[in-house]
Amino acid sequence: MLSPAGLKQRSDFMQSLRLFFRQRDYIEVDTPIRLPVLLPESEIFPYTSESWWLQTSPELCMKRLLARGVTRIFQICHCFRREEQGRLHAPEFTMLEWYHVGWDYLDLMRECEQLVVALAVACSSFTGITNGKNFLRDDREVRLTPPWHRLTVDEAFAAYTNTTALAALAEDRFDEILVTEIEPHLGWDRPLFLYDYPVQLGSLARPKPEAPHLAERFELYCCGIELANGFSELVDAAQQRLRFSEEISTMQGHGQAGEMPESFLHDLSRLGDTAGIALGVDRLLMLFSGASRLDDVLPFSKDELY
């Protein structure tokens, strides 16, 4: 349970987040967290709420708002995922998600750099921040001055493993190898964007025009911890339907429920080029405050609710 000082620190952090986006003419939105249908994602396991679902991400509703004409939106909200519990995971967690129409994933990487630097400056008194805007983690200083490092997925597999991304996919070991052999090395000198994932791992991301076997997707890492997942959005409704069909088939094969989000697909057909990103607020606050686990920055841990 957070102390009064910890609660104030969390509050100051949230206000700094909001200020960054308000100064850039983003609209803050507040969408429902209980939904009759979710986006089909076979690797994410939702909680039920009677006959509906608790959101695993606000993506579905936020993209539907974008299709109605707004161009810059953000949301700070609670999301819920089963089978996620540990030092860096919680079944209920705080997500920051934002979208910018007319951008691609490269534009979003640059704004992500600017956001984290601005937050570090605003929260310079926090324990995990040194010299005004750097991280200190495990006695190692992580510099935040842009540009941050960028590494393709293929380059990461070549540097840290004895296999390739495609071979790992074929053996159904991509996530295992990424987590155990690659992630611990990422983001220790500066934060790092790992980008250009195999297209099979970006079901909502746009394929690269010059390399359609890759998705315009990135993940942000700092101190070996994944902080964010972003991409150039796939806005081709017909192609998205095909990808959802594949996800639903995989889900049904695992005994999961899956349903086609028809209203989402209808609205997606009206959306132009867009980039979007989801950032784990609790993880970033954990780094800022020098904490070693998520429970140290949450008002209540799960065990304290009994």
Side-chain angles (χ1 to χ4, degrees):
M1 190 179 301
L2 280 183
S3 66
L7 288 172
K8 184 178 186 308
Q9 190 175 75
R10 186 177 176 96
S11 175
D12 290 344
F13 180 77
M14 294 297 188
Q15 295 308 313
S16 297
L17 276 177
R18 287 187 163 91
L19 180 61
F20 176 87
F21 289 103
R22 293 301 300 270
Q23 289 177 334
R24 293 178 175 232
D25 294 327
Y26 279 80
I27 296 173
E28 182 171 9
V29 298
D30 181 20
T31 59
I33 65 170
R34 185 172 173 271
L35 301 167
V37 61
L38 299 178
L39 300 181
E41 296 180 274
S42 59
E43 299 299 319
I44 296 178
F45 302 92
Y47 283 102
T48 58
S49 176
E50 297 186 349
S51 61
W52 285 25
W53 304 96
L54 295 180
Q55 69 175 3
T56 58
S57 159
E59 182 171 0
L60 183 152
C61 289
M62 292 184 75
K63 285 185 181 176
R64 294 190 66 190
L65 292 179
L66 291 170
R68 283 158 170 74
V70 293
T71 59
R72 304 181 193 185
I73 58 175
F74 79 99
Q75 182 166 188
I76 301 171
C77 61
H78 281 213
C79 296
F80 306 83
R81 298 181 183 182
R82 288 193 298 114
E83 302 185 10
E84 298 202 8
Q85 182 67 48
R87 185 175 68 89
L88 299 176
H89 296 86
E92 179 180 356
F93 59 96
T94 305
M95 176 100 72
L96 163 66
E97 197 152 318
W98 78 93
Y99 293 86
H100 195 301
V101 172
W103 276 12
D104 65 13
Y105 71 145
L106 300 177
D107 297 309
L108 208 53
M109 288 184 204
R110 288 187 286 270
E111 187 164 62
C112 193
E113 290 173 339
Q114 295 159 4
L115 168 66
V116 175
V117 170
L119 288 173
V121 171
C123 302
S124 59
S125 63
F126 286 23
T127 304
I129 297 175
T130 63
N131 298 326
K133 59 179 182 180
N134 295 334
F135 284 121
L136 185 65
R137 193 76 174 175
D138 296 342
D139 297 322
R140 299 165 69 177
E141 190 169 55
V142 183
R143 294 173 294 161
L144 293 181
T145 304
W148 295 347
H149 296 310
R150 285 155 170 76
L151 187 70
T152 70
V153 169
D154 285 341
E155 290 169 344
F157 270 80
Y160 299 116
T161 79
N162 59 5
T163 187
T164 66
L166 289 180
L169 267 179
E171 297 169 6
D172 197 23
R173 297 184 62 224
F174 184 96
D175 288 341
E176 172 196 342
I177 293 172
L178 178 66
V179 169
T180 59
E181 299 184 34
I182 296 176
E183 284 188 354
H185 301 283
L186 303 182
W188 284 100
D189 175 44
R190 277 188 173 93
L192 179 143
F193 292 110
L194 186 67
Y195 71 107
D196 285 358
Y197 280 70
V199 72
Q200 300 94 316
L201 300 177
S203 66
L204 290 147
R206 182 175 74 189
K208 284 178 71 73
E210 68 276 22
H213 65 289
L214 298 175
E216 292 187 345
R217 174 191 170 194
F218 68 85
E219 289 189 323
L220 170 63
Y221 286 88
C222 187
C223 308
I225 297 171
E226 178 204 338
L227 292 178
N229 178 36
F231 35 84
S232 306
E233 302 292 342
L234 177 61
V235 294
D236 182 326
Q239 188 175 359
Q240 187 66 80
R241 181 181 293 276
L242 290 174
R243 293 195 188 180
F244 281 161
S245 294
E246 294 171 359
E247 289 291 308
I248 290 171
S249 178
T250 299
M251 294 168 70
Q252 291 174 342
H254 295 161
Q256 299 172 249
E259 184 178 345
M260 192 66 71
E262 295 292 350
S263 295
F264 172 84
L265 290 171
H266 175 265
D267 286 344
L268 189 66
S269 64
R270 297 185 290 173
L271 183 59
D273 289 346
T274 301
I277 179 172
L279 184 146
V281 171
D282 305 312
R283 288 187 180 186
L284 185 56
L285 178 56
M286 184 185 78
L287 290 177
F288 272 38
S289 63
S292 60
R293 56 187 189 135
L294 283 192
D295 282 352
D296 294 334
V297 298
L298 299 177
F300 290 89
S301 69
K302 179 175 69 73
D303 293 338
E304 289 171 330
L305 297 174
Y306 288 96

